[in-house]
Amino acid sequence: MTRYRILSILLLTILIPITAVLFHNYSAFSPVFRARFSQMATTNKSPVIVVGAGLAGLSASYSAIQSGASVRLLERAPKPGGNSIKASSGINGAPTRFQNVKKYGVDTSFWDDTTRSAGVRLNSASVSPTVKRRREELITVLTNRSASAIDFLTDLGVNLSVVAQLGGHSLPRTHRGAGKTPPGASIVTTLLTKLKEQGPDRFQLVTDSEVTRLLTDSNAPKGTVKVTGVEYKNRQDGSTRLLHGPVVFTTGGFAGDTHGLLAKYRPDLDGLPSTNDPRPGAHTILSDVGAKLVDMDAVQIHPTGFVDPANPASPLKFLAAEMLRGEGGILLHNGKRVINELLTREKVSNALMALPAKNEDSLRQWDVQLLLDPGATEAAAGHVGFYLWKGLLQKKKIAELDETTRQTLKEYAAVVRGEKEDELGRKAFGHWRLTEEDVDEGEEEVCVGRVTPITHFTMGGAVFNTKAQILTAELGEEQEGKEIEGLWGAGEITGGLHGDNRLGGSSLLECVVFGRVAGEEAAKYRV
């Protein structure tokens, strides 16, 4: 035996055990080394394809990368963010480090509030036990993982230290930042920054690219569906391209699809303005491969979209954030309050839509005033400043208001001070501080703007399970074996979670919770 061969054997004898020990203790390596090794290990695997760059898509992308995958994020708009970037009220979470435990105790009622808000689709005696169980399973995931969603975003650098109580909530649990940036924009921009830091080998965002169909495996066993990628059209050069890999679908709802899906499932809402851009829903892309749709007639009307005095007939409205009412704002018609402003969106919207409508061009709108006192204005300063700049809110001295409105303010101030019960049942008043004496003096300034009910959110979408898998089963059918292989969904494109009505603050939450689940599951699946 030559000495070179002897030396080789000795080296192998030494190196093999050392290598085995090192890789057995892989978790002890530095994060940088682990990331490098993970990148090398996944080079030959297909990327996770995420369709839609709203918060659900961004959350799924980040989760997939953290789970070792590379991501290709396709967005049909010129810029990422979707409707998520416009979200202004906040994101729900309970129990969290930011909630006031001394004042309210530990928040254990989020699940109860969510199931109550779901209405008859969950709580009616006619609902089958299977449907009820499936809906409750989704709600359990949403609420149980809400605190970790807040922690996840906070650890990324998002400020969520301010907590407000919105309509339908029994306690303050809707989180937003202390600065002037709305929570949706803050969360979206933070996640985008973190994703871009991953580098092009791990993350690529492709805008102006609309997915036109899902690719499927023609050799999949009979009765099953396997998604293998997407076909998409690049709007800049008109080319059609194919991309292969597991797919996470996060394209949002159809509230802005006025003459398409909205007209199909809710023709009675024709003529209402919307917070959403007018664009077609992508639900048929899922149903074309066998996905079942549920609750498609469940469309949420947000009670307060600003009517711009400069363009009152515009079909696209800025949302008057629910937190404006949560911080103490009130709704007036002809100078009088008409509803407990902290009831669910559905109940507040129904009350306002029962008032005489005011047709403006082809739109159905209502003449309702949103009024904030100095305390509510200060608490919502970041939002109010923007609305004032846009001309959607105006400042007025109390002395400039009509007599009916001034009397309403005095009565409400007495309720806030605990001198009498609110006839409309409101129990929480945010940061309202205007007193009866202030009203009499007339020198304080309030903020006033016209608002109207608008289409805002669609509860319906593709049936999915707690692992975010898109299903070929109806909500009440047995789900096992009905998962569409290689396909997940999160956010407003999915259905079955909210029932009749979504709680304010749960839109961003479902995007984070189920987006993270979908991204992780898709990363595990890669071939």
Side-chain angles (χ1 to χ4, degrees):
M1 185 180 295
T2 67
R3 58 181 174 180
Y4 295 109
R5 189 173 180 187
I6 294 172
L7 182 59
S8 299
I9 293 173
L10 287 173
L11 285 171
L12 288 173
T13 304
I14 296 170
L15 288 175
I16 289 175
I18 291 176
T19 303
V21 170
L22 286 175
F23 281 96
H24 178 73
N25 292 284
Y26 169 74
S27 61
F29 282 91
S30 71
V32 173
F33 181 86
R34 290 202 307 272
R36 295 281 186 183
F37 180 80
S38 177
Q39 183 174 345
M40 290 187 292
T42 60
T43 299
N44 295 323
K45 290 190 175 183
S46 58
V48 170
I49 304 165
V50 180
V51 185
L55 181 54
L58 297 175
S59 299
S61 297
Y62 193 81
S63 178
I65 289 172
Q66 293 300 106
S67 299
S70 61
V71 170
R72 301 296 178 267
L73 176 57
L74 304 178
E75 169 57 47
R76 60 180 165 182
K79 295 181 180 180
N83 286 320
S84 302
I85 202 168
K86 299 184 285 186
S88 53
S89 290
I91 177 171
N92 294 331
T96 73
R97 68 184 95 166
F98 302 112
Q99 290 179 290
N100 191 335
V101 177
K102 289 184 178 179
K103 183 175 182 179
Y104 300 104
V106 177
D107 186 352
T108 59
S109 58
F110 189 15
W111 192 90
D112 292 332
D113 288 346
T114 304
T115 55
R116 187 183 308 112
S117 177
V120 297
R121 292 173 198 261
L122 173 62
N123 302 304
S124 171
S126 63
V127 175
S128 74
T130 303
V131 169
K132 185 177 179 68
R133 185 175 77 253
R134 296 304 186 195
R135 292 189 187 275
E136 289 181 345
E137 286 172 349
L138 295 172
I139 291 172
T140 297
V141 172
L142 180 78
T143 55
N144 283 359
R145 299 191 185 188
S146 65
S148 66
I150 299 297
D151 288 338
F152 162 71
L153 295 173
T154 301
D155 292 344
L156 288 181
V158 182
N159 185 333
L160 296 172
S161 59
V162 178
V163 186
Q165 182 171 346
L166 304 188
H169 295 266
S170 57
L171 291 172
R173 64 170 68 94
T174 307
H175 298 63
R176 68 178 193 274
K180 294 183 178 181
T181 305
S186 178
I187 294 169
V188 165
T189 54
T190 299
L191 264 172
L192 270 171
T193 298
K194 294 295 182 182
L195 286 168
K196 290 176 181 177
E197 289 174 355
Q198 305 300 314
D201 290 338
R202 305 301 302 280
F203 174 73
Q204 291 182 22
L205 168 64
V206 187
T207 56
D208 283 315
S209 296
E210 183 168 12
V211 169
T212 52
R213 70 182 178 97
L214 293 170
L215 307 178
T216 57
D217 184 357
S218 59
N219 295 318
K222 186 177 180 180
T224 67
V225 182
K226 179 180 179 180
V227 168
T228 60
V230 300
E231 175 188 86
Y232 70 96
K233 183 176 181 179
N234 185 284
R235 292 185 173 185
Q236 292 183 343
D237 60 18
S239 63
T240 297
R241 306 173 186 180
L242 303 181
L243 186 60
H244 296 277
V247 178
V248 179
F249 221 75
T250 61
T251 54
F254 59 93
D257 191 8
T258 304
H259 302 300
L261 292 177
L262 191 65
K264 176 180 179 180
Y265 291 103
R266 286 296 301 271
D268 58 303
L269 298 180
D270 183 36
L272 260 66
S274 178
T275 57
N276 294 351
D277 292 321
R279 64 183 188 185
H283 298 62
T284 53
I285 296 175
L286 296 178
S287 58
D288 283 347
V289 297
K292 298 297 183 181
L293 304 180
V294 66
D295 298 339
M296 292 294 282
D297 61 329
V299 178
Q300 186 172 77
I301 310 300
H302 196 290
T304 56
F306 278 117
V307 178
D308 188 349
N311 189 11
S314 172
L316 181 63
K317 305 294 188 189
F318 274 98
L319 190 71
E322 195 164 359
M323 55 84 66
L324 298 176
R325 288 176 281 132
E327 295 295 2
I330 56 177
L331 298 173
L332 306 173
H333 177 66
N334 293 332
K336 296 182 179 180
R337 290 176 64 219
V338 294
I339 188 70
N340 173 358
E341 295 85 0
L342 292 187
L343 293 178
T344 63
R345 292 177 177 180
E346 179 184 31
K347 292 179 179 179
V348 177
S349 296
N350 287 343
L352 299 187
M353 293 174 73
L355 300 170
K358 185 176 182 180
N359 292 325
E360 297 173 75
D361 290 344
S362 60
L363 296 180
R364 281 191 294 146
Q365 301 186 143
W366 284 261
D367 195 2
V368 178
Q369 280 67 50
L370 171 67
L371 186 148
L372 291 83
D373 85 322
T377 297
E378 290 172 10
H383 292 70
V384 170
F386 173 76
Y387 298 142
L388 288 169
W389 176 70
K390 291 288 293 182
L392 303 172
L393 283 176
Q394 291 82 36
K395 285 188 175 182
K396 292 185 179 182
K397 284 191 175 183
I398 294 175
E400 299 177 280
L401 304 175
D402 63 84
E403 178 58 34
T404 303
T405 299
R406 292 199 301 270
Q407 183 59 35
T408 297
L409 295 183
K410 291 176 70 173
E411 294 171 359
Y412 186 65
V415 169
V416 174
R417 292 173 65 167
E419 296 174 7
K420 62 177 183 178
E421 290 288 321
D422 181 23
E423 294 179 355
L424 297 174
R426 183 163 178 166
K427 302 292 185 182
F429 308 100
H431 287 82
W432 184 282
R433 63 172 172 80
L434 200 66
T435 66
E436 296 160 89
E437 292 77 13
D438 294 328
V439 177
D440 287 333
E441 292 174 4
E443 290 301 308
E444 290 272 20
E445 283 188 329
V446 296
C447 286
V448 184
R450 181 184 167 193
V451 294
T452 187
I454 46 179
T455 60
H456 177 56
F457 189 89
T458 50
M459 276 72 71
V463 178
F464 75 130
N465 61 20
T466 56
K467 291 186 177 180
Q469 295 169 295
I470 301 297
L471 307 173
T472 60
E474 303 284 358
L475 190 64
E477 293 180 354
E478 187 60 42
Q479 294 182 353
E480 283 69 22
K482 298 289 186 175
E483 304 90 353
I484 298 179
E485 186 179 344
L487 180 63
W488 294 262
E492 200 175 349
I493 188 67
T494 59
L497 171 61
H498 301 294
D500 289 328
N501 186 64
R502 175 182 63 78
L503 283 174
S506 284
S507 175
L508 294 182
L509 177 63
E510 75 165 312
C511 289
V512 175
V513 168
F514 286 105
R516 294 177 72 193
V517 172
E520 182 179 351
E521 293 294 325
K524 291 179 185 176
Y525 174 84
R526 287 168 308 135
V527 293

